[in-house]
Amino acid sequence: DLRPEWPKAVIGNQNDIHLVWFVRFTNPDKTENLQVYYSNLPGNLPQPVPLTFLPTLTPLPTATVFQNFIPTATSFPTVTVKDIDTGVPNTDVYATETVLGGLFVVGIFCLGVSLLYRLITRR
């Protein structure tokens, strides 16, 4: 009863196949042995090119001498009002303004009611 056990197949880089398995058998003297097999089928792809890092050489900066270099006084650019991008208002901006405006009105109303209550209860 020679049946292969634990067969393992691996495909290599060149499309080659490697197979490994073992067989258990019993000798006539009642000892159990293992026989291991290996098989290889060569591939049909060329040897892969190893990937290596080839650094790109960059030239070093050359030193230059500025002759007759006269600095000029340049002011910073001024930004006019029309150059400022305020963005397009959306519904979130309007909702925030509405909520804050409502809170301000409610705060003024509560302040007025509390002042009126104090004036009435002081008598």
Side-chain angles (χ1 to χ4, degrees):
D1 190 22
L2 300 175
R3 286 187 235 165
E5 296 183 41
W6 292 96
K8 178 75 174 176
V10 176
I11 298 176
N13 289 340
Q14 297 175 336
N15 205 20
D16 49 340
I17 300 174
H18 303 273
L19 297 172
V20 177
W21 70 93
F22 69 90
V23 175
R24 294 179 204 247
F25 63 93
T26 307
N27 286 337
D29 58 350
K30 304 291 184 193
T31 59
E32 194 171 288
N33 290 332
L34 294 177
Q35 193 167 9
V36 179
Y37 293 94
Y38 170 78
S39 180
N40 180 16
L41 179 65
N44 56 2
L45 296 177
Q47 181 72 20
V49 178
L51 300 174
T52 59
F53 175 70
L54 298 174
T56 304
L57 299 177
T58 55
L60 296 174
T62 56
T64 57
V65 178
F66 293 107
Q67 295 178 355
N68 300 330
F69 178 71
I70 302 170
T72 59
T74 306
S75 62
F76 291 108
T78 57
V79 179
T80 60
V81 175
K82 69 176 184 174
D83 293 338
I84 298 174
D85 183 21
T86 58
V88 178
N90 54 18
T91 55
D92 293 337
V93 174
Y94 291 135
T96 304
E97 290 174 354
T98 304
V99 169
L100 290 177
L103 289 174
F104 180 73
V105 170
V106 169
I108 296 295
F109 178 74
C110 290
L111 182 66
V113 168
S114 65
L115 287 176
L116 185 65
Y117 180 74
R118 282 189 176 217
L119 287 174
I120 292 173
T121 57
R122 276 200 169 180
R123 290 189 197 184

